[in-house]
């Protein structure tokens, strides 16, 4: 037989078939997957996933890093010819630098039936056994090989796999190889669809190749809509590049995407399978039994299992009994195409789904499909029976759709639906619309209202006061809720939540937290997701007020996950939790993270006119400005804080705690940059709101220290403990201790500085409050560094703070302009002459020239024009400004 090998030629193989493919221009390297491949000790690797998951790109990237030991074969239908396949394998081996020139595989001929020729296979095994380093045989696109005869040769080779061979297979389905045996023996590394999905970070890198067309805040939504499917993300990027946005892509209207899905995903399926997928595409999730009702096929469940693991993975099934899902992008495009081509069938499918969900006591899905079927009679019936419960469970978007389809006249004629509509408007921060709906409910009010209706009206009035009235009115409205009456309805938990506001107003936060936890537990048991989320938001806020910042952050993240699942669009609740996350990030010294959360607040608020929305706008812009300031955007960050505060006005309706947040952060930044006028302005704004608070004394101490009056600063700090001036912000005490450190150092009172530093570390570590340290002035950092090794229990925390500060690499703060220099700078854009400026400021021209020279030096410019341009860029001059989200 060996003699036959010598005389049997190999089949000719195109060079591209045995060449590692070049990477795409938009290659996103996958370090986590490359590391898994590099670190694998298994003798076999299977990369298995449907079309478009980047199997080839991943393996080509990996193989390109190991060219000397890789033999690459791109499989196609012609490889069902056994001789052609083995000719390709040998050509691939021949192109592998790791195989020596005299190795038999370089000259070995291919017999007539290579997979059945044991001597041929043994020769290959022996030849590979002689190589110094194992050869990686990559067979890419192995789903094209369907002939069992071709696989028999690889099966035989694997039975006695030589140490010099590692087999790497990529395929859309499991190949005809002993994978089960390899799994059991621990000889198989598998990388499937779930591992191949792009993470949000990887997706951000990929879509970044399109430039600014896809904004960063849409990447998370894009990953959700595509399921992280790499091909889907590339299609999205291409769609955005063509259209300028993602509107057509998200709506299922992009023809190029539809063509790809048709050719790559649907074409390999039978017509009955395709029809079944179109039928179930109207549902986001298909519970067991629904597919039969939608398709009129008794075997629908069996067909869906065929389309699931491991053959095609077109359908994902989870749980027992199974719930089926189509990949999000495929579902979107199938649904859009079905509506376009067969609108009547689409409506009838929705009607069938609505009936099925109603029969199985799933009112939210029943209502949604009734809306999509256009059956307003059924929509009205379902709303009257389930609207309150759906509001509590958090199905707000479904309720909004249903009320819109029902029509304004029919909705407001029912006091129940008018009140539910009012409640929905309040969650979006729309008090005027809510008041209109409340008035409609009053007009249609029955002579003998039910307990549920009465309590719901009380709750709407209470929420209206919370959202758009002052704190005192909110307390009065909450006190009017009849909790006994509410207890006999499904609204008891929500009534208790509103009443807890009175406990908080009386500073009984411990009782409030205990009561909220009870309500949240009961709501969780009742699947009232909206009520649970409201409780968690309130608990997070109370934890922050108590200085339990770690708990605040944990609760806020829980809310964020819930909110994304139930109402990811605009809402006061979403903005509030983003504010808590931004606050927590800033306190941990994570300024960049704070900026991202603050931006999210603006997106959640939209143009909501409610007073609560305006207050959240101030908080978000102040937090963002403070974070930008610490990241090196000193002038723009300080300007952002001032702009937000001046837009709010007197802030009389602002809570004292939130006013203290904003004032402390802006005042601190203004003094550090030498903007004394702005610091005084901030103090005056806060004074009537937080009168009698320790924060006012702390700001006075800061000012005295800035003026070089260390003794006066220390005296003010002493008065903090001597006077009845409680801190509104628990972290403000840490700031006070660090001001004490600076005052003591300036007075050369080292022992006092040591005590103040120890006090600050003890107070900061339990809540992981790093902000006052990470962004402390250099004299504090120098002293903290000198104290390392002598800090006792604060040693670890101090080390973390210093490491975090080093990682920031913030450029040095520029020398601040004096007040006189600022006054001159404000007049430079007016084109007044030096003499005219001097006259306006009642100083001599020489004095003005001195100030101008100082401005030029501090701004590092040489002309008046450059000074104005630089000042505008840094936010030192007044300009027309955008909205809070700018």
């Amino acid at each position: 037989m060996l003699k036959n090998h010598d005389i049997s030629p190999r089949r000719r193989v195109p060079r591209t078939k045995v060449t590692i493919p070049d990477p795409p221009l938009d290659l996103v390297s996958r370090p986590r997957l490359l590391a898994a491949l590099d670190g694998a000790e298994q003798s076999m690797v299977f990369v298995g996933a449907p079309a478009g998951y980047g199997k080839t790109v991943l393996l080509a990237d990996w193989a390109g890093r190991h060219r000397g030991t890789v033999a690459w074969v791109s499989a196609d239908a012609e490889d069902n010819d056994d001789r052609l396949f083995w000719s390709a394998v040998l050509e691939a081996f021949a192109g592998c630098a790791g195989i020596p020139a005299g190795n038999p595989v370089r000259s070995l001929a291919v017999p007539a039936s290579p997979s059945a020729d044991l001597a041929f296979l043994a020769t290959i095994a022996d030849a590979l056994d002689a190589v110094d380093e194992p050869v990686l045989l990559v067979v890419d696109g192995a789903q094209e090989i369907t002939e069992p005869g071709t696989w028999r040769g690889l099966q035989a080779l694997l039975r006695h796999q030589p140490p010099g061979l590692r087999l790497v297979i990529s395929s859309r389905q499991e190949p005809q190889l002993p994978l089960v045996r390899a799994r059991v023996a621990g000889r198989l590394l598998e990388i499937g669809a779930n591992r191949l999905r792009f993470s949000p970070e990887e997706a951000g890198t990929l879509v970044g190749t399109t430039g600014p067309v896809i904004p960063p805040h849409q990447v998370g939504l894009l990953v959700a809509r595509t399921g992280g499917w790499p091909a889907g993300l590339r299609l999205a990027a291409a769609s955005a590049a063509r259209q300028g946005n993602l509107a057509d892509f998200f709506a299922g209207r992009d023809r190029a995407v539809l063509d790809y899905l048709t050719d790559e995903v649907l074409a390999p399926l039978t017509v009955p399978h395709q029809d079944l997928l179109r039928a179930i595409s109207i549902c986001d999730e298909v519970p067991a039994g629904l597919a039969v009702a939608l398709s009129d096929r008794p075997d629908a469940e069996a067909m869906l299992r065929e389309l699931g693991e491991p053959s095609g993975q077109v359908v994902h099934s989870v749980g027992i009994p199974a719930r089926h899902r189509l990949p999000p992008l495929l579902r979107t495009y199938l649904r859009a195409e079905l509506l376009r081509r067969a609108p009547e069938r689409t409506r009838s499918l929705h009607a069938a789904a609505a009936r099925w969900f109603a029969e199985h006591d799933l009112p939210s899905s029943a209502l949604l499909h009734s809306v999509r079927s256009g059956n307003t009679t059924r929509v009205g019936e379902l709303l009257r029976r389930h609207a309150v419960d759906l509001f509590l469970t958090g199905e707000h978007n479904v309720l909004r759709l249903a009320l819109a389809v029902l029509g304004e006249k029919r909705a407001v004629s029912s006091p129940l639906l008018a009140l539910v509509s009012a409640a929905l408007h309040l969650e979006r921060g729309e008090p005027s619309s809510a008041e209109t709906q409340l008035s409609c409910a009053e007009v249609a009010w029955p002579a003998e209202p039910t307990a549920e209706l009465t309590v719901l009206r009380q709750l709407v009035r209470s929420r209206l006061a919370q959202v758009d009235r002052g704190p005192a009115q909110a307390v009065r409205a909450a006190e009017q809720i009849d909790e006994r009456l509410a207890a006999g309805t499904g609204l008891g938990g929500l009534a208790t939540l509103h009443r807890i506001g009175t406990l908080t107003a009386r500073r009984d936060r411990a009782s409030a937290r205990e009561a909220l936890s009870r309500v949240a537990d009961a709501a969780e048991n009742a699947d009232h997701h909206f009520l649970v989320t409201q409780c968690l938001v309130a608990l997070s806020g109370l934890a922050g007020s108590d200085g339990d910042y770690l708990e605040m952050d944990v609760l806020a993240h829980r809310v964020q996950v819930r909110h994304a699942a139930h109402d990811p669009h605009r809402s006061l609740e979403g903005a509030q939790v983003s504010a808590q996350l931004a606050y927590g990030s800033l306190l941990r010294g994570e300024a960049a993270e704070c900026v991202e959360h603050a931006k999210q607040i603006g997106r959640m608020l939209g143009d909501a006119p409610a007073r609560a929305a305006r207050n959240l706008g101030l908080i978000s812009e102040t937090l963002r400005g403070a974070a930008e300031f610490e990241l090196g955007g000193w002038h723009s960050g300080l300007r952002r804080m001032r702009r937000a505060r001046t837009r709010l006005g007197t802030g009389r309706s602002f809570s004292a705690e939130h006013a203290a947040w904003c004032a402390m952060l802006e005042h601190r930044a203004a003094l550090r940059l030498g903007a004394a006028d702005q610091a005084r302005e901030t103090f005056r704004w806060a004074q009537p709101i937080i009168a009698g608070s320790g924060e006012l004394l702390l700001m006075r101490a800061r000012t005295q220290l800035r003026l070089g009056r260390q003794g006066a600063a220390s005296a003010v700090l002493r008065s903090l403990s001597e006077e009845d001036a409680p801190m509104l912000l628990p972290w403000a005490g840490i700031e006070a201790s660090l001001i004490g450190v600076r005052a003591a150092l300036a007075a050369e009172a080292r022992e006092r500085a040591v005590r103040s530093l120890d006090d600050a570390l003890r107070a900061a570590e339990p809540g992981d409050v790093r902000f006052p340290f990470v962004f402390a002035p250099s004299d504090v950092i120098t002293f903290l560094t000198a104290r390392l090794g002598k800090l006792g229990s604060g040693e670890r925390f101090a080390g973390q703070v210093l490491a975090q500060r080093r990682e920031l690499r913030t450029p040095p703060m520029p020398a601040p302009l004096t007040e006189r220099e600022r006054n001159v700078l404000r007049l430079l854009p007016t084109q007044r002459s030096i003499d005219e400026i001097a006259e306006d400021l009642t100083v001599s021209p020489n004095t003005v020239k001195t100030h101008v020279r100082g401005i030029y030096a501090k701004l590092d410019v040489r002309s008046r024009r450059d000074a104005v341009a630089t000042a505008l860029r840094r936010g030192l001059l007044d300009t027309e400004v955008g909205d809070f989200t700018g």
Side-chain angles (χ1 to χ4, degrees), residues 849-872:
K849 289 177 183 178
T850 300
H851 291 324
V852 169
R853 285 195 295 271
I855 292 169
Y856 286 5
K858 291 176 181 178
L859 297 184
D860 192 24
V861 297
R862 295 183 178 181
S863 69
R864 183 170 181 166
R865 180 175 181 175
D866 289 345
V868 171
T870 300
L872 284 169

Side-chain angles (χ1 to χ4, degrees), residues 8 78 170 336 358 448 660 801:
S8 299
E78 291 187 1
S170 87
E448 297 182 2
V801 163

Side-chain angles (χ1 to χ4, degrees), residues 455-463 481 491 494-495 498:
V455 173
L456 183 59
R457 180 170 65 174
Q458 293 171 347
L459 289 169
V460 169
R461 288 172 172 169
S462 174
R463 183 61 172 157
I481 297 172
L491 295 165
L494 194 56
H498 280 246

Side-chain angles (χ1 to χ4, degrees), residues 50-201:
Y53 271 86
K55 303 181 293 295
T56 299
V57 173
L58 170 66
L59 289 179
D61 189 17
W62 181 54
R65 299 161 190 259
H66 302 275
R67 284 186 182 276
T69 58
V70 171
W72 182 283
V73 177
S74 296
D76 53 43
E78 291 187 1
D79 288 310
N80 288 298
D81 179 332
D82 195 16
R83 286 192 66 222
L84 180 61
F85 173 74
W86 282 102
S87 295
V89 170
L90 291 178
E91 285 297 319
F93 283 144
C96 180
I99 296 179
N103 191 285
V105 297
R106 290 187 172 276
S107 57
L108 187 63
V110 179
S113 301
S115 289
D117 193 326
L118 297 182
F120 169 75
L121 298 172
T123 302
I124 294 176
D126 291 342
L128 293 175
D129 198 21
V131 299
D132 295 332
E133 188 176 350
V135 174
L136 303 167
L137 173 58
V138 179
V139 181
D140 182 47
Q143 74 278 350
E144 299 291 340
I145 306 174
T146 58
E147 176 59 45
T150 302
W151 287 110
R152 276 197 292 270
L154 281 176
Q155 292 168 3
L157 195 61
L158 289 174
R159 274 197 295 273
H160 307 287
Q161 186 165 358
L165 174 67
R166 288 183 66 197
L167 181 62
V168 182
I169 300 285
S170 87
S171 177
R172 296 183 186 180
Q173 57 195 34
E174 288 197 0
Q176 299 175 43
L177 292 173
L179 299 188
V180 174
R181 194 182 315 138
R183 284 190 191 104
V184 173
R187 293 188 292 108
L188 178 66
L189 168 67
E190 292 185 86
I191 296 180
N194 285 336
R195 294 181 73 177
L196 288 166
R197 297 180 199 281
F198 270 43
S199 67
E201 293 74 23

Side-chain angles (χ1 to χ4, degrees), residues 280-589:
I280 68 170
S281 71
I282 65 158
C283 297
D284 293 343
E285 185 174 84
V286 183
L290 177 56
V292 175
L294 293 175
S295 64
D296 290 329
R297 293 188 66 103
D299 60 345
E301 288 292 323
M303 292 174 68
L304 290 176
R305 284 195 294 273
E306 288 175 20
L307 292 167
E309 298 280 4
S311 58
Q313 301 181 26
V314 177
V315 174
H316 305 298
S317 302
V318 295
I320 301 175
R323 302 186 311 278
H324 310 291
R325 296 192 191 107
L326 291 178
L329 192 61
L330 178 62
R331 182 178 65 235
T332 296
Y333 275 80
L334 286 177
R335 186 183 294 174
E337 189 69 358
L338 182 67
L339 181 61
R340 187 175 70 84
R341 290 177 175 271
E344 287 301 322
R345 187 190 177 204
T346 301
R347 282 191 286 273
S348 66
L349 285 169
H350 281 301
R355 288 191 298 272
W356 190 92
F357 281 118
E359 290 166 2
H360 289 79
D361 196 25
L362 296 166
S364 175
S365 297
L367 182 58
L368 177 62
H369 288 284
S370 294
V371 167
R372 290 175 174 169
S373 72
N375 188 336
T376 55
T377 301
R378 191 173 189 84
V379 168
E381 292 171 356
L382 289 168
L383 278 173
R384 282 185 284 275
R385 286 206 303 269
H386 302 292
V388 171
D389 194 57
L390 290 175
F391 180 80
L392 293 172
T393 56
E395 300 292 349
H396 293 184
N397 287 331
V398 175
L399 285 172
R400 290 187 181 99
L401 285 172
L403 288 168
V405 165
L406 200 60
E408 186 174 340
K409 289 184 179 179
R410 295 177 66 179
V412 301
S413 64
S414 162
L416 173 67
L417 298 188
L419 289 173
V420 169
S421 179
L424 292 170
H425 280 297
L426 290 173
E427 295 315 309
R428 287 280 177 86
E430 299 164 348
S432 297
S433 299
E435 287 184 288
T436 299
Q437 296 296 317
L438 185 57
S439 298
C440 292
E442 301 285 5
V443 170
W445 200 253
E448 297 182 2
T450 63
E452 180 183 63
L453 202 59
T454 300
V455 173
L456 183 59
R457 180 170 65 174
Q458 293 171 347
L459 289 169
V460 169
R461 288 172 172 169
S462 174
R463 183 61 172 157
L464 179 60
Q466 289 176 3
V467 167
D468 205 48
R469 305 289 187 265
Q473 288 176 280
V475 170
R476 286 196 297 273
E479 288 175 337
Q480 292 171 10
I481 297 172
D482 188 336
E483 282 194 272
R484 290 187 179 180
L485 186 63
T489 72
L491 295 165
L494 194 56
T496 303
L497 174 63
H498 280 246
R499 293 278 293 180
I500 289 171
T502 62
L503 291 172
T504 306
R506 294 168 186 158
R507 297 292 177 189
D508 190 357
R509 289 200 288 260
S511 297
R513 291 176 76 171
E514 184 181 341
L516 279 169
S517 296
R518 289 197 302 270
V519 174
D521 289 342
E524 191 79 72
N525 292 332
D527 288 330
H528 287 169
H529 302 294
F530 170 72
L531 183 52
V532 174
T533 301
Q534 291 282 305
C535 290
L536 292 177
V537 169
L539 281 167
S540 179
L542 289 173
S545 298
D546 288 337
D548 193 352
Y549 299 121
L550 295 178
E551 179 69 4
M552 177 188 78
D553 201 56
V554 167
L555 291 169
H557 276 99
R558 283 179 62 189
V559 175
Q560 187 181 48
V561 172
R562 283 180 166 273
H563 190 266
H566 289 95
D567 192 3
H569 305 293
R570 195 184 82 197
S571 72
L572 289 178
E573 169 193 285
Q576 193 172 346
V577 76
S578 291
Q580 291 165 350
L581 290 169
Y583 188 36
S585 297
L586 187 65
L587 291 180
R588 289 194 308 276

